[in-house]
Amino acid sequence: MRICLIGYRGNPYSGGQGIYLYNLSRELARLGHEVEVIVGPPYPQPMDRWCVVHKLPNLNLWGRYGGQWLPRSHPLKLLEPWNLFDFAATRLRFFPEPFSFGFRAFAELRRLLETRRFDLLHDVQTLGYGVWAMKGYGMPVVTTVHHPLTVDRREAFARDRSFNERYHTAVFFPVTMQGFVIRRLTHVITASLAGKEAIMEDFRVAPERISIVPNGLDTETFHNPGCWKRRKNTLLFVGNTDDVKKGAGHLLQAMRKLPAGVRLRIVDDPYPAKTLIAGEVERLGLGKRVTFTGKLSEARLLEEYCRCTLLVQPSLYEGFGLPAAEAAACETPVVATEVGAVAEVVTPDTGVLVPPADARSLAGAVRELLGDPERRAALGRAGRRRMLHRFSWPGTARNTVRVYERVLAGQWAP
């Protein structure tokens, strides 16, 4: 099968798209399929050993918003039509990347089709009008959506306090475009039952047009080699602290209820790169107990998973819950909130689930596990077994191919 994967961002830190593109493309190639990838910046880790990668440039103008007004290198590139559109849109606080990348990818695909043909196109969370237009090339278009952006928008509105904040939220999330496009693509893949229910409710997609394929996990990389000693009374949080859905603020409140000897390590950039909870750390008197590691390489992240006592995932919503899965694969017990797909990753024999936005319950679960090393060890062993059985990338690829085959057989024709 010849497959073209499409993703508007490819870096591992870009909301999970990069991790998905990297691992799914590799495993599809291992199954004998020919894979090409059309991707925008920040670009993925090198994938040239198993697929052909077509990198579509842009000026990353959203990333520069609020800082550098014009790109210092090649400012005349702003005169190119899509760059000029991105520039104008970002200055009005829109997030134009899915829209503009979709049309860039549409043009790139037209160029590629002059010399080859694909059996199927697989979009990863772009849902731009250009992706919908690709159906005009006569191939089915499948998309992966972990959860609809309506979830993010609701959370953002809930925290907004000023007119400017509400305006930013209203225009930032391209939910109208994504709802229009997802209802017109051939089929939808999501990672969990929670994701499927959200897509059905918010984007009005019929249930028979959505398949659940759990995300994979690199269990070869994420394992505990036994060479690191665990830090005593050390919690780990992995996630974007500026994303209110990740619940980092509630974790800080829980830290206040825990003994002074409990430490928290946050795998994310500190202030000024991230601002949402930076001030809270000092205001709550946690400066000596909380450490920001910055973004980490895969090897360093593995070490953090293997050296912490517990991973804490206090999310308000998750379409999958990758840090919990990675930690469990490293035999690290997890305390998480029972939201979204988290309960499909963390089970009572691999961790502890607590209500969301409840610092008291979160602190209580952490305190209980910190005082019970035998239970922590049992949870860790069970977590590793579950990840191997349920969330391997080879299994994800095989199940994705089954979806492709049914789409190509016309079983899910729109």
Side-chain angles (χ1 to χ4, degrees):
M1 196 181 303
R2 290 182 60 87
I3 303 157
C4 183
L5 295 173
I6 301 160
Y8 73 92
R9 286 187 168 191
N11 185 276
Y13 295 112
S14 297
Q17 295 108 307
I19 295 171
Y20 189 90
L21 283 168
Y22 182 91
N23 289 286
L24 181 63
S25 64
R26 181 190 63 204
E27 296 303 328
L28 289 173
R30 285 177 176 175
L31 291 173
H33 303 286
E34 296 181 48
V35 182
E36 299 192 28
V37 177
I38 300 175
V39 67
Y43 298 120
Q45 302 173 64
M47 303 189 295
D48 298 350
R49 287 182 289 116
W50 59 80
C51 66
V52 179
V53 180
H54 307 278
K55 297 179 180 179
L56 301 188
N58 68 43
L59 298 180
N60 192 25
L61 291 167
W62 177 260
R64 293 187 175 98
Y65 184 84
Q68 183 182 327
W69 178 251
L70 293 173
R72 290 176 185 149
S73 59
H74 310 294
L76 293 180
K77 285 186 176 291
L78 277 179
L79 300 179
E80 297 176 8
W82 282 118
N83 289 339
L84 188 60
F85 170 82
D86 285 348
F87 178 79
T90 54
R91 273 46 195 175
L92 293 172
R93 307 305 298 271
F94 289 85
F95 179 56
E97 281 186 30
F99 180 94
S100 57
F101 172 83
F103 285 108
R104 286 179 165 113
F106 176 84
E108 177 68 8
L109 182 61
R110 180 175 58 192
R111 184 187 69 81
L112 296 178
L113 291 176
E114 293 175 358
T115 58
R116 74 265 275 165
R117 189 73 182 171
F118 297 105
D119 296 301
L120 180 140
L121 309 176
H122 185 167
D123 168 59
V124 181
Q125 297 192 179
T126 305
L127 294 180
Y129 292 119
V131 174
W132 168 55
M134 292 175 187
K135 289 185 69 179
Y137 291 134
M139 294 165 286
V141 183
V142 172
T143 188
T144 291
V145 180
H146 293 125
H147 67 268
L149 284 181
T150 47
V151 174
D152 305 74
R153 188 175 67 170
R154 279 194 295 270
E155 295 293 343
F157 273 132
R159 74 170 188 267
D160 290 343
R161 295 295 178 264
S162 68
F163 173 82
N164 283 340
E165 289 174 341
R166 293 187 183 95
Y167 168 79
H168 182 199
T169 296
V171 302
F172 178 81
F173 296 103
V175 295
T176 300
M177 176 182 72
Q178 291 203 341
F180 177 92
V181 173
I182 197 172
R183 289 190 292 272
R184 289 160 175 80
L185 298 186
T186 312
H187 200 70
V188 181
I189 294 173
T190 192
S192 67
L193 177 60
K196 179 175 181 176
E197 291 173 345
I199 292 166
M200 289 165 51
E201 181 175 351
D202 289 2
F203 281 161
R204 306 190 308 279
V205 178
E208 63 271 16
R209 294 188 53 239
I210 308 173
S211 293
I212 298 175
V213 178
N215 272 5
L217 173 70
D218 188 349
T219 52
E220 295 177 11
T221 295
F222 290 101
H223 71 290
N224 194 327
C227 59
W228 292 297
K229 183 179 179 180
R230 290 200 183 269
R231 298 183 178 102
K232 186 178 180 180
N233 294 331
T234 300
L235 313 181
L236 184 68
F237 171 91
V238 179
N240 178 5
T241 55
D242 270 358
D243 183 349
V244 70
K245 297 193 310 305
K246 301 303 179 183
H250 299 290
L251 178 53
L252 294 184
Q253 293 292 339
M255 282 290 293
R256 293 188 69 195
K257 303 177 186 300
L258 291 167
V262 177
R263 299 289 189 266
L264 171 64
R265 294 176 65 80
I266 295 177
V267 179
D268 195 18
D269 290 327
Y271 181 86
K274 299 297 178 71
T275 60
L276 188 61
I277 69 165
E280 286 293 288
V281 172
E282 299 302 325
R283 189 181 69 80
L284 296 173
L286 297 172
K288 294 182 179 180
R289 298 173 58 193
V290 176
T291 300
F292 288 83
T293 68
K295 297 288 176 59
L296 299 179
S297 67
E298 196 172 71
R300 287 283 314 283
L301 180 58
L302 172 65
E303 181 179 351
E304 290 291 338
Y305 282 134
C306 293
R307 295 191 67 187
C308 70
T309 315
L310 303 171
L311 177 100
V312 184
Q313 186 158 344
S315 305
L316 304 180
Y317 184 88
E318 284 290 346
F320 178 59
L322 185 61
E326 290 175 342
C330 296
E331 300 182 38
T332 297
V334 176
V335 174
T337 45
E338 193 169 7
V339 296
V342 175
E344 298 172 51
V345 176
V346 181
T347 59
D349 62 339
T350 66
V352 178
L353 292 171
V354 300
D358 187 340
R360 187 178 299 277
S361 295
L362 190 62
V366 168
R367 186 183 297 108
E368 183 179 337
L369 276 187
L370 289 178
D372 193 342
E374 291 184 1
R375 188 182 179 201
R376 293 201 307 270
L379 292 174
R381 290 190 296 270
R384 175 68 182 175
R385 288 194 299 269
R386 178 169 171 76
M387 294 309 110
L388 288 171
H389 174 72
R390 176 76 172 160
F391 298 109
S392 69
W393 275 113
T396 295
R398 288 193 297 270
N399 289 330
T400 301
V401 169
R402 293 190 185 103
V403 174
Y404 293 165
E405 289 170 345
R406 294 184 70 179
V407 166
L408 291 170
Q411 295 186 31
W412 287 319

